[in-house]
Amino acid sequence: MARLVPSNFCLLISAVTLISCNQCEDYDRPSDAFNAFVLSPNGQNLIGNASTQYSPDSIEITRDTERVDFRVLYESLDNRGALMQLFPVKPHSKNSGTVRLFLRLSHTDVDTLDVTYETDHGKCFDLLRCNSVFYNGQRMEQNRYNTYQLIKQ
């Protein structure tokens, strides 16, 4: 009975295939953005198209002089209306730390956001996670949907 012996070529192809196979390709990279409402002290959403709200088109977020990437979403899990989704801003000197952002809601209304980030080193991805948010010096809490509620005084 003949014995089958894989050729060196077959072994080489198998080795290259195994090495080039990336286990992380099958996973979607999770979002490291965080969500935030801007609310009045009585809980009314301040972002929207009503005359008593800040227009999403007028909102700008900056760090020093550079614009920060964000978007306004109109569907939220708790039906409170529009919310902002802010994408992470890497601290200047390291992978973790606090970043000061300026939230311009209108031409005359500018607030500060101090966001603390920490890097989570994962098997497939490193994520810059938001640990805390201070809005105009006050620590903001997340609701049950992991959305920060920025209370405008």
Side-chain angles (χ1 to χ4, degrees):
M1 192 164 181
R3 203 169 125 201
L4 295 174
V5 178
S7 69
N8 287 339
F9 179 73
C10 289
L11 286 174
L12 177 64
I13 294 298
S14 297
V16 168
T17 302
L18 287 174
I19 291 171
S20 65
C21 180
N22 183 348
Q23 295 175 349
C24 294
E25 288 177 357
D26 294 335
Y27 298 102
D28 288 330
R29 185 178 193 276
S31 174
D32 45 8
F34 72 90
N35 296 329
F37 287 111
V38 179
L39 304 173
S40 69
N42 64 356
Q44 297 299 313
N45 193 327
L46 295 177
I47 297 176
N49 294 314
S51 62
T52 58
Q53 295 176 311
Y54 296 103
S55 167
D57 294 335
S58 70
I59 298 172
E60 182 179 279
I61 302 174
T62 58
R63 173 192 188 175
D64 302 325
T65 58
E66 63 187 84
R67 287 182 154 214
V68 172
D69 197 15
F70 79 99
R71 64 182 170 184
V72 175
L73 303 175
Y74 291 94
E75 298 292 325
S76 61
L77 292 174
D78 59 0
N79 296 317
R80 291 191 89 169
L83 58 83
M84 295 183 303
Q85 186 175 53
L86 284 82
F87 299 96
V89 179
K90 190 172 183 178
H92 283 301
S93 60
K94 52 191 172 216
N95 290 333
S96 299
T98 301
V99 174
R100 171 153 286 183
L101 305 174
F102 295 97
L103 171 61
R104 181 180 301 277
L105 296 168
S106 70
H107 294 298
T108 59
D109 198 347
V110 180
D111 297 324
T112 59
L113 282 173
D114 293 313
V115 183
T116 303
Y117 291 102
E118 186 174 299
T119 302
D120 284 347
H121 300 284
K123 177 181 173 188
C124 297
F125 307 101
D126 287 346
L127 296 176
L128 201 54
R129 294 254 185 235
C130 172
N131 280 350
S132 66
V133 174
F134 286 80
Y135 182 57
N136 292 329
Q138 299 293 315
R139 184 182 180 93
M140 296 293 115
E141 300 300 322
Q142 290 179 306
N143 66 15
R144 65 182 177 187
Y145 300 107
N146 294 321
T147 299
Y148 284 94
Q149 300 182 71
L150 311 179
I151 308 299
K152 179 97 175 123
Q153 299 297 322

